[in-house]
Amino acid sequence: MAKNTNNNQIFVERETFEKNGRTFFSYFIKGNIRGKDVKVAVVPPDKGGYTVLDIVFGDQMAAQLVAKPFEIKDDATGKVIAGNTYSVQTVDENGEIYECAVKPYRSSDKSLLNMLLR
């Protein structure tokens, strides 16, 4: 479900899994890169972020991914490091925006997400 062809939005989906008799959510982005279906795992920046993600998603099973570009210049070397920060976002019936930062789970997830965003 990665890119919505109408407006190129990317969505983070969630699904349940069981661990130690408890039910949890995993968060991911589905996409297709060069004809290969991929599933990119995303997580909050810290363990407490799962509560925030539950609030952002509410009763929904998908939320919009928001990518915000950044650049940092190393004053010592003059080298510029560029990339994106990511968050998931939903809007309720009153227009209230709920947002939580997320990051790719593994290095491979980061690479796949960068490919999806091209």
Side-chain angles (χ1 to χ4, degrees):
M1 177 182 213
K3 288 190 182 181
N4 177 329
T5 54
N6 294 336
N7 50 16
N8 287 338
Q9 291 181 354
I10 294 178
F11 291 91
V12 175
E13 300 177 57
R14 68 180 181 170
E15 64 186 4
T16 58
F17 70 94
E18 299 262 338
K19 182 177 180 183
N20 300 327
R22 295 181 59 199
T23 302
F24 299 94
F25 284 107
S26 63
Y27 299 87
F28 56 89
I29 300 163
K30 287 183 182 176
N32 189 290
I33 302 169
R34 299 182 86 183
K36 182 162 181 66
D37 290 331
V38 296
K39 194 172 180 180
V40 180
V42 295
V43 295
D46 57 51
K47 190 174 180 179
Y50 286 101
T51 300
V52 181
L53 281 175
D54 285 343
I55 293 168
V56 170
F57 274 78
D59 294 333
Q60 300 174 30
M61 294 303 282
Q64 182 179 349
L65 178 74
V66 178
K68 298 176 185 166
F70 72 87
E71 285 188 1
I72 299 172
K73 183 176 180 180
D74 182 339
D75 291 332
T77 64
K79 185 176 180 181
V80 176
I81 300 168
N84 289 310
T85 60
Y86 304 100
S87 61
V88 291
Q89 187 178 87
T90 58
V91 181
D92 71 9
E93 63 279 354
N94 299 321
E96 185 77 27
I97 297 172
Y98 294 88
E99 189 170 11
C100 179
V102 292
K103 63 181 182 177
Y105 180 58
R106 299 173 292 259
S107 297
S108 58
D109 292 312
K110 182 178 180 180
S111 296
L112 290 170
L113 184 55
N114 287 335
M115 289 180 210
L116 282 174
L117 289 174
R118 289 185 195 159

PDB file of all heavy atoms in Angstrom, residues 92-104:
ATOM      1  N   ASP A  92      -8.195  13.805  13.187  1.00  0.00           N
ATOM      2  CA  ASP A  92      -9.501  13.339  13.644  1.00  0.00           C
ATOM      3  C   ASP A  92     -10.630  14.145  13.004  1.00  0.00           C
ATOM      4  O   ASP A  92     -10.390  15.065  12.213  1.00  0.00           O
ATOM      5  CB  ASP A  92      -9.592  13.332  15.176  1.00  0.00           C
ATOM      6  CG  ASP A  92      -9.661  14.709  15.812  1.00  0.00           C
ATOM      7  OD1 ASP A  92      -9.804  15.726  15.099  1.00  0.00           O
ATOM      8  OD2 ASP A  92      -9.569  14.778  17.054  1.00  0.00           O
ATOM      9  N   GLU A  93     -11.859  13.806  13.362  1.00  0.00           N
ATOM     10  CA  GLU A  93     -13.040  14.440  12.766  1.00  0.00           C
ATOM     11  C   GLU A  93     -13.136  15.937  13.059  1.00  0.00           C
ATOM     12  O   GLU A  93     -13.814  16.670  12.346  1.00  0.00           O
ATOM     13  CB  GLU A  93     -14.325  13.720  13.216  1.00  0.00           C
ATOM     14  CG  GLU A  93     -14.596  13.765  14.713  1.00  0.00           C
ATOM     15  CD  GLU A  93     -13.822  12.729  15.531  1.00  0.00           C
ATOM     16  OE1 GLU A  93     -13.132  11.868  14.939  1.00  0.00           O
ATOM     17  OE2 GLU A  93     -13.872  12.813  16.772  1.00  0.00           O
ATOM     18  N   ASN A  94     -12.424  16.419  14.062  1.00  0.00           N
ATOM     19  CA  ASN A  94     -12.427  17.847  14.400  1.00  0.00           C
ATOM     20  C   ASN A  94     -11.253  18.595  13.769  1.00  0.00           C
ATOM     21  O   ASN A  94     -11.058  19.778  14.041  1.00  0.00           O
ATOM     22  CB  ASN A  94     -12.387  18.038  15.920  1.00  0.00           C
ATOM     23  CG  ASN A  94     -13.579  17.425  16.600  1.00  0.00           C
ATOM     24  OD1 ASN A  94     -14.699  17.503  16.094  1.00  0.00           O
ATOM     25  ND2 ASN A  94     -13.356  16.781  17.733  1.00  0.00           N
ATOM     26  N   GLY A  95     -10.446  17.902  12.972  1.00  0.00           N
ATOM     27  CA  GLY A  95      -9.297  18.539  12.341  1.00  0.00           C
ATOM     28  C   GLY A  95      -8.045  18.541  13.202  1.00  0.00           C
ATOM     29  O   GLY A  95      -7.025  19.113  12.818  1.00  0.00           O
ATOM     30  N   GLU A  96      -8.105  17.888  14.366  1.00  0.00           N
ATOM     31  CA  GLU A  96      -6.958  17.809  15.275  1.00  0.00           C
ATOM     32  C   GLU A  96      -5.922  16.840  14.701  1.00  0.00           C
ATOM     33  O   GLU A  96      -6.244  15.720  14.313  1.00  0.00           O
ATOM     34  CB  GLU A  96      -7.414  17.315  16.651  1.00  0.00           C
ATOM     35  CG  GLU A  96      -6.336  17.316  17.701  1.00  0.00           C
ATOM     36  CD  GLU A  96      -6.036  18.697  18.264  1.00  0.00           C
ATOM     37  OE1 GLU A  96      -6.921  19.562  18.253  1.00  0.00           O
ATOM     38  OE2 GLU A  96      -4.885  18.897  18.697  1.00  0.00           O
ATOM     39  N   ILE A  97      -4.657  17.275  14.638  1.00  0.00           N
ATOM     40  CA  ILE A  97      -3.583  16.447  14.087  1.00  0.00           C
ATOM     41  C   ILE A  97      -2.878  15.706  15.215  1.00  0.00           C
ATOM     42  O   ILE A  97      -2.501  16.302  16.225  1.00  0.00           O
ATOM     43  CB  ILE A  97      -2.570  17.309  13.302  1.00  0.00           C
ATOM     44  CG1 ILE A  97      -3.244  17.962  12.101  1.00  0.00           C
ATOM     45  CG2 ILE A  97      -1.365  16.471  12.869  1.00  0.00           C
ATOM     46  CD1 ILE A  97      -2.392  18.985  11.383  1.00  0.00           C
ATOM     47  N   TYR A  98      -2.710  14.393  15.020  1.00  0.00           N
ATOM     48  CA  TYR A  98      -1.972  13.557  15.961  1.00  0.00           C
ATOM     49  C   TYR A  98      -0.746  13.031  15.223  1.00  0.00           C
ATOM     50  O   TYR A  98      -0.851  12.548  14.098  1.00  0.00           O
ATOM     51  CB  TYR A  98      -2.843  12.395  16.450  1.00  0.00           C
ATOM     52  CG  TYR A  98      -4.017  12.869  17.269  1.00  0.00           C
ATOM     53  CD1 TYR A  98      -5.217  13.207  16.665  1.00  0.00           C
ATOM     54  CD2 TYR A  98      -3.914  12.997  18.644  1.00  0.00           C
ATOM     55  CE1 TYR A  98      -6.290  13.664  17.412  1.00  0.00           C
ATOM     56  CE2 TYR A  98      -4.982  13.459  19.405  1.00  0.00           C
ATOM     57  CZ  TYR A  98      -6.172  13.786  18.778  1.00  0.00           C
ATOM     58  OH  TYR A  98      -7.222  14.239  19.520  1.00  0.00           O
ATOM     59  N   GLU A  99       0.422  13.131  15.874  1.00  0.00           N
ATOM     60  CA  GLU A  99       1.664  12.787  15.190  1.00  0.00           C
ATOM     61  C   GLU A  99       2.638  12.113  16.149  1.00  0.00           C
ATOM     62  O   GLU A  99       2.680  12.441  17.340  1.00  0.00           O
ATOM     63  CB  GLU A  99       2.293  14.060  14.621  1.00  0.00           C
ATOM     64  CG  GLU A  99       3.454  13.846  13.707  1.00  0.00           C
ATOM     65  CD  GLU A  99       3.861  15.133  12.989  1.00  0.00           C
ATOM     66  OE1 GLU A  99       3.385  16.218  13.336  1.00  0.00           O
ATOM     67  OE2 GLU A  99       4.684  15.015  12.074  1.00  0.00           O
ATOM     68  N   CYS A 100       3.415  11.159  15.619  1.00  0.00           N
ATOM     69  CA  CYS A 100       4.439  10.476  16.405  1.00  0.00           C
ATOM     70  C   CYS A 100       5.635  10.197  15.512  1.00  0.00           C
ATOM     71  O   CYS A 100       5.487   9.730  14.378  1.00  0.00           O
ATOM     72  CB  CYS A 100       3.897   9.148  16.958  1.00  0.00           C
ATOM     73  SG  CYS A 100       5.105   8.215  17.921  1.00  0.00           S
ATOM     74  N   ALA A 101       6.825  10.474  16.014  1.00  0.00           N
ATOM     75  CA  ALA A 101       8.056  10.193  15.265  1.00  0.00           C
ATOM     76  C   ALA A 101       8.234   8.682  15.127  1.00  0.00           C
ATOM     77  O   ALA A 101       7.886   7.914  16.030  1.00  0.00           O
ATOM     78  CB  ALA A 101       9.255  10.789  15.986  1.00  0.00           C
ATOM     79  N   VAL A 102       8.752   8.263  13.975  1.00  0.00           N
ATOM     80  CA  VAL A 102       9.116   6.866  13.747  1.00  0.00           C
ATOM     81  C   VAL A 102      10.455   6.839  13.025  1.00  0.00           C
ATOM     82  O   VAL A 102      10.898   7.853  12.475  1.00  0.00           O
ATOM     83  CB  VAL A 102       8.062   6.085  12.909  1.00  0.00           C
ATOM     84  CG1 VAL A 102       6.769   5.914  13.678  1.00  0.00           C
ATOM     85  CG2 VAL A 102       7.818   6.728  11.567  1.00  0.00           C
ATOM     86  N   LYS A 103      11.088   5.670  13.044  1.00  0.00           N
ATOM     87  CA  LYS A 103      12.353   5.507  12.330  1.00  0.00           C
ATOM     88  C   LYS A 103      12.386   4.095  11.768  1.00  0.00           C
ATOM     89  O   LYS A 103      11.720   3.185  12.295  1.00  0.00           O
ATOM     90  CB  LYS A 103      13.543   5.755  13.252  1.00  0.00           C
ATOM     91  CG  LYS A 103      13.644   4.763  14.401  1.00  0.00           C
ATOM     92  CD  LYS A 103      14.823   5.061  15.296  1.00  0.00           C
ATOM     93  CE  LYS A 103      14.921   4.005  16.404  1.00  0.00           C
ATOM     94  NZ  LYS A 103      16.072   4.214  17.243  1.00  0.00           N
ATOM     95  N   PRO A 104      13.148   3.883  10.700  1.00  0.00           N
ATOM     96  CA  PRO A 104      13.305   2.530  10.178  1.00  0.00           C
ATOM     97  C   PRO A 104      13.928   1.639  11.253  1.00  0.00           C
ATOM     98  O   PRO A 104      14.809   2.065  11.999  1.00  0.00           O
ATOM     99  CB  PRO A 104      14.243   2.698   8.984  1.00  0.00           C
ATOM    100  CG  PRO A 104      14.126   4.140   8.601  1.00  0.00           C
ATOM    101  CD  PRO A 104      13.862   4.875   9.885  1.00  0.00           C
TER     102      PRO A 104
END
